[in-house]
Amino acid sequence: MSYSNSSMGSGSRTGRRAFEFGRTYVVRPKGKHQATIVWLHGLGDNGSSWSQLLENLPLPNIKWICPTAPTRPVALLGGFPCSAWFDVGELSEDAPDDFEGLDGSAAHIANLLSTEPADIKLGIGGFSMGAATALYSATCFAQGKYGNGIPYPINLRTIIGLSGWLPGSRSLRSKIEGSNEAVRRAASLPILLCHGICDEVVPYKYGESSSHCLSSSGFRYLSFKTYEGLGHYTVPKEMDEVCNWLQARLGLEGSR
């Protein structure tokens, strides 16, 4: 995993902390622009590596926006600073969530999508910590607000999470069930989760429990795909699944 300390781009200020987001890479559609998806990298990575992979997918109608997370101290790495969408100490059901960092990154992503044309379908995807941030954005969309109560402004049409987990899972169901509008939005949002059985970084059980939590919280339009022998990386078969999912769910023209 590579570390990036780029300080280009816009900053996010949430409460006491302020972090500068790194460089954003954009892959322009080769055909008719029908959808824009923000794709989020994993811990210690940057937007460039994923932009190169996404550029080669047979999805000419999608514009990809690949931002780079801020460089911040990460508790999981003993406080070592690297690019991270939020702070994380350990992966467990009982670990505290960095809602301040999550809200800051979710707001940055929403801001990237806010200038897209009105007729363009919008989505968020990601790998590992990027997947976790995408799923957190999905919960903000359903509730109509960030964790800090500020309104969530984007109408999301799809979410993709590869080798990730769901932050804020403990309280999600009660938050969604407390609002009829949140129940409606959760049920309407297509989510694709993919996870390798042999993932040694984000164990498979966290992908599985995230899927169960989302489903029980009202995200009924959810597909959970598992891959035998797959560790903490992606393979062509998985990316084919992503392509097929996006083409079908977003109604893209001539993408395959």
Side-chain angles (χ1 to χ4, degrees):
M1 126 185 340
S2 62
Y3 296 103
S4 167
N5 61 359
S6 170
S7 61
M8 296 174 61
S10 64
S12 169
R13 184 174 296 276
T14 53
R16 299 181 307 278
R17 298 180 301 169
F19 294 109
E20 289 292 323
F21 285 83
R23 180 176 174 183
T24 296
Y25 299 82
V26 177
V27 179
R28 307 261 172 215
K30 299 177 179 68
K32 179 184 177 183
H33 183 196
Q34 293 181 281
T36 296
I37 296 176
V38 171
W39 191 273
L40 307 170
H41 62 75
L43 178 66
D45 203 355
N46 58 64
S48 175
S49 59
W50 275 97
S51 70
Q52 295 169 46
L53 185 153
L54 297 168
E55 187 170 21
N56 292 317
L57 295 183
L59 295 168
N61 306 118
I62 293 181
K63 172 184 175 182
W64 301 94
I65 301 176
C66 302
T68 298
T71 296
R72 70 178 83 209
V74 177
L76 184 67
L77 305 178
F80 186 87
C82 72
S83 57
W85 299 109
F86 53 93
D87 191 19
V88 59
E90 61 176 315
L91 291 182
S92 79
E93 302 296 331
D94 303 318
D97 289 295
D98 175 20
F99 286 112
E100 190 178 347
L102 284 159
D103 280 341
S105 288
H108 180 71
I109 296 158
N111 186 54
L112 291 173
L113 290 169
S114 66
T115 55
E116 293 300 292
D119 61 337
I120 298 301
K121 298 168 184 175
L122 307 177
I124 304 172
F127 174 78
S128 192
M129 178 180 265
T133 309
L135 292 176
Y136 181 74
S137 295
T139 66
C140 294
F141 162 73
Q143 296 172 74
K145 60 185 178 182
Y146 299 102
N148 57 21
I150 294 174
Y152 187 79
I154 302 300
N155 181 27
L156 294 175
R157 299 292 295 273
T158 193
I159 295 287
I160 296 172
L162 311 182
S163 307
W165 72 95
L166 174 66
S169 59
R170 291 184 297 274
S171 59
L172 180 60
R173 184 171 179 176
S174 62
K175 289 178 178 177
I176 298 294
E177 290 179 345
S179 161
N180 289 335
E181 188 62 21
V183 170
R184 183 192 67 78
R185 281 194 293 260
S188 72
L189 181 62
I191 299 177
L192 173 65
L193 298 181
C194 301
H195 218 107
I197 299 290
C198 299
D199 193 324
E200 73 288 358
V201 177
V202 181
Y204 171 79
K205 66 178 182 178
Y206 293 118
E208 189 176 43
S209 64
S210 295
S211 174
H212 289 157
C213 179
L214 287 163
S215 295
S216 65
S217 299
F219 290 86
R220 300 190 186 93
Y221 202 166
L222 184 146
S223 181
F224 182 51
K225 303 291 184 179
T226 62
Y227 299 86
E228 295 286 344
L230 180 64
H232 197 65
Y233 49 87
T234 188
V235 289
K237 181 180 178 182
E238 187 179 38
M239 296 313 295
D240 285 345
E241 191 84 53
V242 170
C243 290
N244 291 333
W245 171 271
L246 289 173
Q247 184 187 13
R249 299 305 175 276
L250 299 179
L252 303 179
E253 300 173 7
S255 296
R256 302 293 283 177

